[in-house]
Amino acid sequence: MIERYTRPAMGRIFTDEARLAAWLKVELAVVEVQAERGEIPERAAKTILRKAQVDAARALEIEKVVQHDVIAFLTAVAEHVGPASRYIHLGMTSSDVLDTALALQMVEASDLLLAGMDGFLAALTAQAEKYADLPMVGRTHNVHAEPITLGFKIASWRAEMARGRERIARAREAVRYGKISGAVGTSAHLAPTVEKAALDKLGLKVEPVATQVVPRDRHAEMLCALALVAAGIERIATEIRHLQRTEVREVEEPFGKGQKGSSAMPHKRNPIATENVSGLARVVRSNALAALQDVALWHERDISHSSVERVIVPDTFILLDFMLARMTRIVSGLLVYPDAMRRNLESSRGMIYSQTILLALCRAGLTREQAYALVQENAMAVWANQKTDLMEACLEDKRIVKKIGEKEIRRAFNLEHLLRNVPRIIRRGLRG
């Protein structure tokens, strides 16, 4: 079922109104510090703090004329403040406002994503525990390998998402830096103590050596962290899509009451939600590449990064927020078909136990090459339908019977034995 995006909190962080409000917050923090230090008149500071406001529509209207967003913003604020506005932006440059405000936005957006990650992790944990003991075939190269459980598979997803959460948390700290150090970052017109005090008020840290901008490796780190989470989500979505194939149909994404799968074929139940998420992951990855390309600016700054960030930063946070919401719903409502899992486990006719027989022969004295050749010969006979299953083939092979005996052969075909350590691994995966 396709649901509409109903989490507007993330989108609101990146509206024009929120962006200009963040700019004003930065300006007022500097005014407040300068007044405390006696660098501007206290009366003027009080007037500014009381009257300062910005109307986004008015600022955009002014920008059409002046062709400079920060000047338009300052002019719009000045219309409310009056003559005292000359003390706003004193000694500052545009990037002091832009980069510091962007840090505020990214920290707030990160906090929303971390909350979304917590919800997704909870859903994954619940399903991993629920299906910890449900056996299914493991696949490598898209071919049956050895058995696992559905809970084991989901625990792997959960462990990756836990790492993703840690990456976002680290990246949150990496972008929690502002700069109020002037035109090329030398603090020529504002003391570093003003910068430190203003950023403290904003809950940010001082960029150790800024140019005119905060270096863009910080922003690239965040976008790469988000891209890694998106890639992990895509892995989960792709797996669900594979398992939903008609000839497999072991799990299925939720299918809502009244939902339709195809305009032409009424029987269809297509994995449209997971396909959608897989597509969005490509966009998030592309945005991370753009962020990496933003790192190399000319000299102390240019603005080639600016137009890029106005697209990739809001889009990436909003997209990942949506992907997390969608995948939480999908995982929580996952449709699971144990009978199909059992049927598929049995469809390879005992081949999933081939390594157990191989190891038993090795322990009995054969070289690995001898044991491999012997088991493979019998496995190929099963594939060619010359034998019913691998156990029958091994029991009829006198060479194997002579080496390990019928009892050992039968003991090798034991599902519980192969899965005996899975509960411990799941618990280990859910601890992180």
Side-chain angles (χ1 to χ4, degrees):
M1 183 179 72
I2 290 288
E3 75 284 359
R4 294 198 177 275
Y5 184 56
T6 56
R7 292 165 63 159
M10 183 65 80
R12 280 198 293 266
I13 293 173
F14 298 103
T15 60
D16 288 334
E17 290 77 10
R19 175 171 55 88
L20 295 180
W23 291 6
L24 185 58
K25 188 174 183 181
V26 174
E27 296 281 8
L28 296 183
V30 176
V31 165
E32 199 171 346
V33 170
Q34 289 176 309
E36 291 169 357
R37 292 167 56 89
E39 295 179 2
I40 65 173
E42 186 177 345
R43 176 182 290 184
K46 288 181 177 179
T47 299
I48 293 168
L49 294 173
R50 185 177 73 254
K51 292 187 174 182
Q53 57 180 286
V54 60
D55 178 79
R58 176 58 181 151
L60 292 172
E61 181 184 354
I62 297 169
E63 187 179 351
K64 290 177 182 178
V65 178
V66 301
Q67 296 294 300
H68 193 291
D69 53 359
V70 175
I71 291 175
F73 155 76
L74 292 170
T75 303
V77 173
E79 290 178 347
H80 292 280
V81 173
S85 64
R86 65 182 179 276
Y87 296 110
I88 300 175
H89 204 71
L90 207 61
M92 297 171 65
T93 190
S94 296
S95 292
D96 291 339
V97 181
L98 299 175
D99 286 7
T100 304
L102 181 58
L104 293 173
Q105 290 176 290
M106 293 180 80
V107 167
E108 185 179 358
S110 298
D111 289 340
L112 286 181
L113 283 187
L114 290 170
M117 290 293 295
D118 289 339
F120 189 32
L121 287 168
L124 289 166
T125 299
Q127 295 292 60
E129 291 174 342
K130 180 177 180 179
Y131 296 112
D133 300 321
L134 178 59
M136 65 185 298
V137 71
R139 297 171 173 90
T140 60
H141 302 276
N142 217 25
V143 175
H144 286 200
E146 291 191 351
I148 59 172
T149 71
L150 179 58
F152 178 87
K153 185 185 290 288
I154 296 174
S156 170
W157 301 346
R158 196 264 180 204
E160 182 171 356
M161 288 299 101
R163 293 192 295 275
R165 190 196 188 284
E166 291 173 2
R167 291 186 185 106
I168 293 175
R170 288 197 299 269
R172 178 191 185 276
E173 292 307 300
V175 299
R176 198 166 66 84
Y177 282 79
K179 59 92 58 180
I180 304 170
S181 51
V184 289
T186 58
S187 296
H189 306 288
L190 271 178
T193 49
V194 173
E195 178 182 45
K196 174 70 164 60
L199 292 176
D200 282 347
K201 287 180 180 293
L202 296 168
L204 301 177
K205 294 182 280 188
V206 176
E207 179 60 43
V209 184
T211 59
Q212 188 156 322
V213 298
V214 170
R216 259 43 199 175
D217 63 295
R218 295 191 181 280
H219 306 75
E221 181 175 348
M222 173 60 79
L223 271 290
C224 286
L226 303 189
L228 279 167
V229 173
I233 289 175
E234 184 183 16
R235 179 169 83 96
I236 300 169
T238 300
E239 183 68 14
I240 293 171
R241 290 165 60 197
H242 277 308
L243 296 176
Q244 188 166 331
R245 286 179 296 144
T246 304
E247 60 271 26
V248 178
R249 203 160 180 264
E250 293 177 352
V251 304
E252 190 177 27
E253 69 177 48
F255 194 82
K257 184 178 180 180
Q259 184 177 342
K260 311 297 182 185
S262 165
S263 64
M265 296 167 284
H267 73 278
K268 297 278 278 173
R269 290 164 67 105
N270 300 329
I272 54 172
T274 43
E275 287 173 340
N276 169 264
V277 166
S278 294
L280 293 179
R282 299 169 192 168
V283 180
V284 174
R285 276 197 299 275
S286 297
N287 289 351
L289 175 59
L292 289 167
Q293 292 170 325
D294 275 350
V295 173
L297 302 180
W298 288 14
H299 301 297
E300 279 56 62
R301 64 95 52 122
D302 60 54
I303 61 165
S304 60
H305 65 289
S306 177
S307 56
V308 180
E309 288 172 358
R310 289 173 192 239
V311 176
I312 65 172
V313 173
D315 280 8
T316 301
F317 277 102
I318 291 169
L319 284 174
L320 191 57
D321 187 52
F322 170 78
M323 292 168 72
L324 285 168
R326 170 156 289 185
M327 285 306 297
T328 300
R329 181 189 66 80
I330 290 170
V331 167
S332 297
L334 199 65
L335 302 175
V336 177
Y337 302 108
D339 291 344
M341 290 180 178
R342 173 63 66 173
R343 184 170 60 250
N344 289 334
L345 258 176
E346 296 171 351
S347 67
S348 55
R349 295 177 291 169
M351 301 291 200
I352 59 176
Y353 303 101
S354 67
Q355 184 175 192
T356 311
I357 292 291
L358 165 69
L359 296 176
L361 289 169
C362 288
R363 283 191 289 268
L366 294 186
T367 66
R368 184 175 183 83
E369 291 71 24
Q370 291 171 329
Y372 194 104
L374 201 50
V375 176
Q376 186 181 46
E377 178 186 328
N378 283 278
M380 294 306 107
V382 176
W383 281 127
N385 292 318
Q386 295 169 0
K387 299 291 181 180
T388 303
D389 58 41
L390 186 59
M391 186 168 72
E392 177 206 13
C394 291
L395 288 170
E396 292 180 4
D397 190 318
K398 294 179 181 179
R399 298 167 294 177
I400 297 178
V401 173
K402 181 179 179 180
K403 202 67 185 174
I404 61 175
E406 289 189 9
K407 184 177 180 181
E408 185 66 23
I409 292 172
R410 294 183 186 279
R411 186 183 302 152
F413 291 80
N414 185 309
L415 181 65
E416 286 72 25
H417 180 74
L418 289 183
L419 297 176
R420 67 192 183 282
N421 290 317
V422 165
R424 178 187 302 176
I425 296 170
I426 291 175
R427 288 195 299 272
R428 187 174 67 197
L430 299 184
R431 279 200 298 266

